[in-house]
Every structure is written in C-alpha cells, then in structure tokens.
Amino acid sequence: MPSDQADRRLLEHVRTAHLLRTTAAVLSWDQEVMLPPGGVAWRAEQLALLAGLVHERAVDPRVEEWLAACEQDPRLRQDPFSDFAANVRELRRDYEQCKRLPAPLVQQLAETESLAQHEWAEARARSDYGRFRPWLDRLLRLHRDKAACLRDPRRHAEAWDALLDLHEPGATAAQVDAMFRELAQRHRAIIGHATEGRNGGPDPFQGQPIDDRVQESFVREVLVALGFDLERGRLDRSTHPFCTGTGGDVRLTTRFTADGLLDALGSTMHEGGHGLYEQGLDPARLGTPLGEAVSLGIHESQSRLWENHVGRSRAFWRWCAPVLRRHVSTVHADEAVLFAACNRVQPGLIRVEADEATYDLHVLIRFQIERALLSGTLGTADLPAAWNAAYREQLGVVVPDDRRGCLQDVHWSCGLFGYFPTYTFGNLYAAQFAEAARAALGDLDAMLARGEFAPLREWLRVNVHRHGRRFPPAELCRRATGRELSAEPFLTHLERRVAEAAA
Ligand code: ZN
C-alpha cells in the first residue's frame, strides 16, 4: 500500500479510537461529578467495555501493516518533525505500548479502577484506610502485571520506569531521583529562610466563611478572564479537582470550603491552565498525535504556570483584588495582603494546598513510597506508618488521620501509578516557560496587573499547545526556551518569590 494511503487509513483509525476514548472520559467525568451511588457498578462495566473496545482498535493488526507501509517512506528521514514523520513516530509508540498489554488485563484494570475510585472516596470521607487497603492491594497486583508487560529492559531499569514512561515519555526513576536530590537541598534552604524570617502573611479568609455560590461566581470570572472558553468547556465540582476532555468539550472541576477561597481560586486556575492547553490544541488535528497533549509534565507545566507564576504574583493581585472585593463585599484585604497570604511558606499535610516552596517535598514522598509499594519492599499494611514517618521527616508535620495522610490523593485509586513526579517536571517546565515568555513579551507584570492575559496565553499556544506531540517534551522545551530543561529557573523563581513575599 502506498504510504500516503496508509497514513490516511491510520489517522482515520486512531481518530475513531480517540472518539471512543473521549466517550469514556465523559463517563468518568460524570462518575466524579454526577453519578448516584447506585450507578457505580454499572458504570464500572461501561468503562471496562469501552476500554476493551479502545484496546481492540489500538492493537488491530492492520495498524502494523499501515505503520510498516509508512515507515518505508523516505520522508521519515528528511524531517523527523514533519506532520507525517511525527504522526508515524507517535503512533508506532502507542501501538507498541498497547500491543504489550493483554485485553483481559486492560478491561480488568478499567473495571477495578472505576470501583476503587468510589471505595477510595468513601474511605477518605470516613478516614478509614482499612476499607481502601484491599483495593490498593488489587490495584498494585494489576499494575505490577501491567508494568511487567510494558517493561522494555533496554530502557526501563525497573518496573516502575515502564509506568512513568506512559506519562512522561523517556523519563526514568533514576532521573527523578537525581532531580529530587538537587531540589530537596535547595528547597530546605528556601523553606528555612522563609519560615525563620517574615513569612508571607496570614490567610484573610480563615474563620471568615463565604457562601460557596459567591466563591464560585468569583472563580468563574477569573477563569473567563484567563481566556478559558465556556462555550467549549465547563466548570463543575468534585472531591478532587481535575480536568478532562479536549477541543470543544473541556471539563474542569474545582472544590469549595467555607473559608478556603484562596484554595478554590488556586485549584480553579490550576485546572484552568490544563483546560487552556486542551483548548489550545490544533482543532483540525484532534484525535491524532498532532492534536494531543505531549506529556503529563508539559500538561502540568501549563496548570502550574497559571496557578503559580500568574495566580501567586503580586501583579496578578493588583488586578484581582478589586475583582474579589466586587464579589465579596466583606473582604477588605488589599493587593499586598492577598499576595502575602498566597505566598506564606508553611509545611503542611495536604499536597494540593501546599505552597510553592514545600510542594515538591509532597511529590518526593509519594514517589519514594509508590516505588516501594510497587516493588513490594513496602507492604500496604505499613503504608500509613511509612507515610506519617515521611511527613515527619521531610516536612516536620504530624499526620493526625489517614484522611489527611495516605488517603488524600485520588491517584492510586484510579490507577495513576508512575504519575506523581510529573508534577515536579511540571514545576520545572513551568518556570522555564515563564522565563522565556517574559523575555519574549516584555513587561509581563504590567500586562497581568491590567488583567491582560491574552499575550501570555498566545505565547503558550504558539510555543507549546499548537505543537501537540510533534516534538518530544525535551525537544519542545529546547525549542520554546532555547535550552535543556533545568531546575535553575524554578529555584531562582522560588528564591525571588519568597524574598518578595517577605519584603
Ligand atoms: Zn494538574
């Protein structure tokens, strides 16, 4: 078959698989936002069926034929990043990964993850680790099998690497280990410096309950100002904020607590950053590699950039403080107070509420524990004790119950193993992108202070979003920022931010 024809068939084929996959994503969103408890078992079956159908398409033997026909084409070697070459490279990667997984395992994973997520939410609400533990055991068994299937000994020194590779192509545990060694030391110095000196400021909303409808109207206005298009997306509520969907239908969720307005804003801007990436993908290429996010680290860079580099900046609060006072007439805090409150460094228990300086230590703890759980050196019976000991050692805090300890995150319950370090990759990428955007745009702070978010959003769209999977993450970073990924821009940003908040 001529390569042009094979390429066309291939793209049509993966596009239909993508339609099925996004259908499952809507059902998963519904499960988190709407589903009555009585529908949980039926939903698990629906998701398992769809996962089976997606898998069946992904491993269709015709895919191998089409790929083989494309791989004969000399255009592949002329420009490795052309539309044609990038599609073939990425589809080969997807095909090789899917082919390694037996269909029954794929379906069993989908069904177990759907049920386990419900069990986790119940267990978390009651702070009852014993209820979740058998599900965690089941999930670990399945993910060990999955890792064993996916593991390519030439690239994956350990089973966990094969799971990380799904989310952050090419990254390894050894690389993550080295990254954390570099970060942890400087982090501790930054935390020490902040907590010993004048450290941000108190949260003006603590003990000041605000109606959640008022909070919602405020965060919605901010979200729209950033450029999130509500004609092509929604904002709802869930236990754990997330973003799903793509193109014309991007679903965000957030959460509200009576005195947690700053957390609700942070979560909304975070998920909004993910949503802007999805809405910024090339609409003509949706469902094919050039219309898909390239990695979770890059995805996370978009959320952290809006949440931290924008949402925690003094310039942003110059614009946002009056917006907030318009929604909440009882708030008298000014820009300086709100900026200081957002940047208080305070080692705490909850990852999603952590400040920028302590956040990566939460990730480090999860990375080390998960790697030990997967390899079996840590048993699930010992998880709460190991978790609590790590929090005491790394952050100096005492975990009072499992709800605020090892049950706080949704990830393991929905099968996201090998995922947590992508948050730290995201922080590093975010700082490097923000630095490059500042250099390109001129006085970014003046724009943020006027509520002009379009220049930054456009810079990200052109330099990151529009490429989809054309460039692997490391190459994308080089092209957008002119250099290799490094921890330096992130650490410099943190040191500057902590000093500014203490001034
Ligand atoms: Zn995120």
Side-chain angles (χ1 to χ4, degrees):
M1 185 187 293
S3 58
D4 276 340
Q5 199 183 338
D7 183 39
R8 234 180 358 260
R9 295 258 171 93
L10 205 47
L11 291 179
E12 277 163 22
H13 184 82
V14 296
R15 198 166 170 281
T16 52
H18 192 71
L19 287 171
L20 282 171
R21 209 174 305 119
T22 47
T23 306
V26 177
L27 288 181
S28 295
W29 169 86
D30 174 82
Q31 174 172 310
E32 296 308 299
V33 176
M34 302 276 206
L35 189 71
V40 169
W42 191 247
R43 179 55 43 88
E45 279 193 55
Q46 292 171 321
L47 287 170
L49 173 67
L50 284 169
L53 291 174
V54 170
H55 187 71
E56 202 179 294
R57 290 197 80 79
V59 299
D60 188 323
R62 288 175 303 168
V63 172
E64 174 64 65
E65 286 166 33
W66 294 327
L67 278 171
C70 291
E71 281 161 351
Q72 301 300 321
D73 193 313
R75 281 182 296 165
L76 276 196
R77 282 166 294 282
Q78 283 157 10
D79 175 5
F81 302 122
S82 67
D83 288 11
F84 175 73
N87 273 326
V88 172
R89 179 193 70 229
E90 294 300 306
L91 292 173
R92 169 60 78 186
R93 177 183 145 86
D94 294 348
Y95 178 67
E96 293 301 325
Q97 261 170 6
C98 291
K99 215 177 54 176
R100 287 168 174 264
L101 296 174
L105 176 63
V106 170
Q107 293 201 28
Q108 221 182 336
L109 277 163
E111 186 166 0
T112 309
E113 286 160 6
S114 175
L115 293 169
Q117 224 169 319
H118 175 72
E119 291 298 319
W120 162 78
E122 295 286 313
R124 177 178 173 275
R126 294 173 178 73
S127 195
D128 179 2
Y129 174 68
R131 176 170 178 156
F132 181 58
R133 194 183 145 206
W135 290 93
L136 184 58
D137 280 323
R138 241 165 273 172
L139 288 163
L140 280 166
R141 270 198 302 277
L142 289 168
H143 281 270
R144 278 186 205 115
D145 291 348
K146 182 177 174 178
C149 295
L150 290 171
R151 189 172 167 210
D152 173 352
R154 287 166 304 175
R155 296 185 296 123
H156 305 131
E158 58 185 280
W160 188 84
D161 284 353
L163 299 178
L164 175 66
D165 196 25
L166 288 173
H167 306 302
E168 199 59 27
T172 63
Q175 186 191 355
V176 173
D177 230 2
M179 174 171 78
F180 277 125
R181 261 200 306 278
E182 182 182 359
L183 286 179
Q185 221 174 10
R186 289 267 290 276
H187 266 314
R188 265 186 275 277
I190 293 168
I191 295 165
H193 191 76
T195 49
E196 280 155 24
R198 235 197 96 201
N199 175 14
D203 184 339
F205 304 104
Q206 209 86 89
Q208 305 281 331
I210 300 170
D211 187 280
D212 55 6
R213 280 163 308 184
V214 174
Q215 294 193 40
E216 186 171 348
S217 70
F218 163 61
V219 301
R220 259 178 202 282
E221 178 169 345
V222 174
L223 185 64
V224 170
L226 301 185
F228 185 76
D229 180 359
L230 287 170
E231 290 290 311
R232 300 191 296 140
R234 290 181 57 90
L235 176 67
D236 294 274
R237 301 176 185 201
S238 66
T239 312
H240 206 296
F242 67 96
C243 165
T244 190
T246 192
D249 183 6
V250 179
R251 311 283 173 105
L252 312 180
T253 66
T254 191
R255 64 182 175 198
F256 301 101
T257 54
D259 59 1
L261 183 90
L262 289 178
D263 288 330
L265 178 67
S267 290
T268 307
M269 289 184 76
H270 179 101
E271 300 309 332
H274 284 302
L276 288 172
Y277 186 10
E278 290 294 338
Q279 290 187 339
L281 293 166
D282 185 347
R285 318 233 186 222
L286 286 181
T288 71
L290 294 176
E292 273 177 347
V294 64
S295 79
L296 284 180
I298 298 293
H299 226 306
E300 195 63 15
S301 75
Q302 301 305 295
S303 55
R304 301 292 282 173
L305 193 149
W306 288 101
E307 178 191 5
N308 292 333
H309 292 266
V310 175
R312 282 175 152 137
S313 71
R314 175 125 195 179
F316 171 79
W317 280 105
R318 199 160 307 146
W319 168 77
C320 195
V323 176
L324 172 59
R325 287 194 295 267
R326 217 170 354 90
H327 286 269
V328 193
S329 54
T330 50
V331 169
H332 303 295
D334 65 8
E335 160 203 332
V337 169
L338 291 160
F339 166 70
C342 286
N343 288 289
R344 187 179 177 81
V345 176
Q346 180 106 60
L349 296 165
I350 309 294
R351 176 184 60 86
V352 294
E353 294 170 4
D355 57 79
E356 272 187 281
T358 56
Y359 188 90
D360 295 286
L361 297 176
H362 292 263
V363 180
L364 168 67
I365 290 169
R366 285 155 179 75
F367 161 62
Q368 289 176 341
I369 286 183
E370 182 185 294
R371 205 174 166 197
L373 282 172
L374 195 84
S375 70
T377 52
L378 175 67
T380 55
D382 300 322
L383 168 61
W387 183 282
N388 300 351
Y391 265 79
R392 216 167 23 244
E393 189 197 321
Q394 296 286 352
L395 285 150
V397 293
V398 176
V399 178
D401 51 45
D402 292 334
R403 187 173 65 82
R404 285 171 282 184
C406 64
L407 285 175
Q408 66 181 269
D409 289 310
V410 70
H411 301 62
W412 291 333
S413 79
C414 54
L416 296 175
F417 292 89
Y419 186 111
F420 280 115
T422 66
Y423 290 127
T424 296
F425 280 114
N427 282 335
L428 267 48
Y429 280 125
Q432 204 159 316
F433 289 145
E435 196 182 80
R438 267 178 198 283
L441 295 173
D443 197 347
L444 180 62
D445 282 336
M447 295 171 198
L448 300 182
R450 291 193 296 267
E452 290 170 17
F453 303 108
L456 176 60
R457 192 177 66 244
E458 276 305 295
W459 188 90
L460 292 168
R461 198 177 63 89
V462 170
N463 288 283
V464 180
H465 306 171
R466 271 306 152 104
H467 296 306
R469 293 166 68 185
R470 185 183 301 279
F471 308 113
E475 177 68 19
L476 180 73
C477 177
R478 268 193 295 276
R479 286 180 183 245
T481 71
R483 58 195 175 115
E484 303 284 324
L485 179 67
S486 141
E488 209 44 54
F490 176 53
L491 290 164
T492 307
H493 154 77
L494 266 187
E495 282 160 357
R496 211 178 286 150
R497 182 59 65 79
V498 163
E500 198 188 347

